[in-house]
Amino acid sequence: MILINGLAGTGKTLLALEQAKRKSEEGQRVIFLCYNKLLMQNLYEFAVNNKFEIFNIDKLIYRLFSSHSMEKIKYSFINWLDDVKASIDKIKFPEYDYLIIDEGQDILNYKYFPFLDKMIINGLKEGNWSIFYDEEVQRVLYGDKDSFFEIIKKINRSAVSFKLSVNCRNPYTIGEKVFQITHL
């Protein structure tokens, strides 16, 4: 159980991909989840080549339950998700040996938590996983900040935590040049 916190550009996604690749090479059944659909599409070929599954969270949930409720088309995704949550114990989930979540700040909330817990052997409390997130900046875009911190506290009891602080994608010289041009 590993928690990696870092701002944008600190290498979270690259570390998550490397972790997925290594766990897959060890023969583990790995699932890589992210929030952003475009990110998933950009990483898809890497995932296929390295024999792990990759989904954005909404696509995964929709795919898991699309045959569960024939009436789903009448509802919005959120209402349908609530209906599915009510019958979650009746659904057979694929179980993975290792769960990797990138963009955890957008996924770690009570909307998705029941699904995540069922996807991994032994659940989130005892299972094997790595979660990569930005609790400072990116969390405010899509995430539910209250449930995010509650879930981090809940699952962090036995996890190893790291904080990434060096922006590898946007070095200081680029930031300085942008400031000179834009004064931002």
Side-chain angles (χ1 to χ4, degrees), residues 164-183:
L164 304 175
S165 58
V166 176
N167 187 329
C168 303
R169 184 173 53 208
N170 304 304
Y172 181 77
T173 54
I174 290 175
E176 202 172 74
K177 193 65 164 175
V178 169
F179 177 74
Q180 289 173 357
I181 295 169
T182 64
H183 302 289

Side-chain angles (χ1 to χ4, degrees), residues 152-164:
I152 287 291
K153 285 179 188 175
K154 186 184 241 183
I155 64 175
N156 192 19
R157 293 182 185 168
S158 56
V160 175
S161 298
F162 296 97
K163 180 156 177 121
L164 304 175

Side-chain angles (χ1 to χ4, degrees), residues 61 65 68-91 111 115:
I61 291 170
F65 299 109
H68 174 68
S69 172
M70 299 305 285
E71 301 294 318
K72 70 183 177 299
I73 296 169
K74 294 181 182 178
Y75 301 106
S76 71
F77 182 74
I78 298 299
N79 291 336
W80 177 73
L81 190 60
D82 289 339
D83 289 346
V84 171
K85 274 189 201 175
S87 59
I88 198 168
D89 291 328
K90 298 175 188 167
I91 305 301
K111 176 175 148 185
F115 303 105

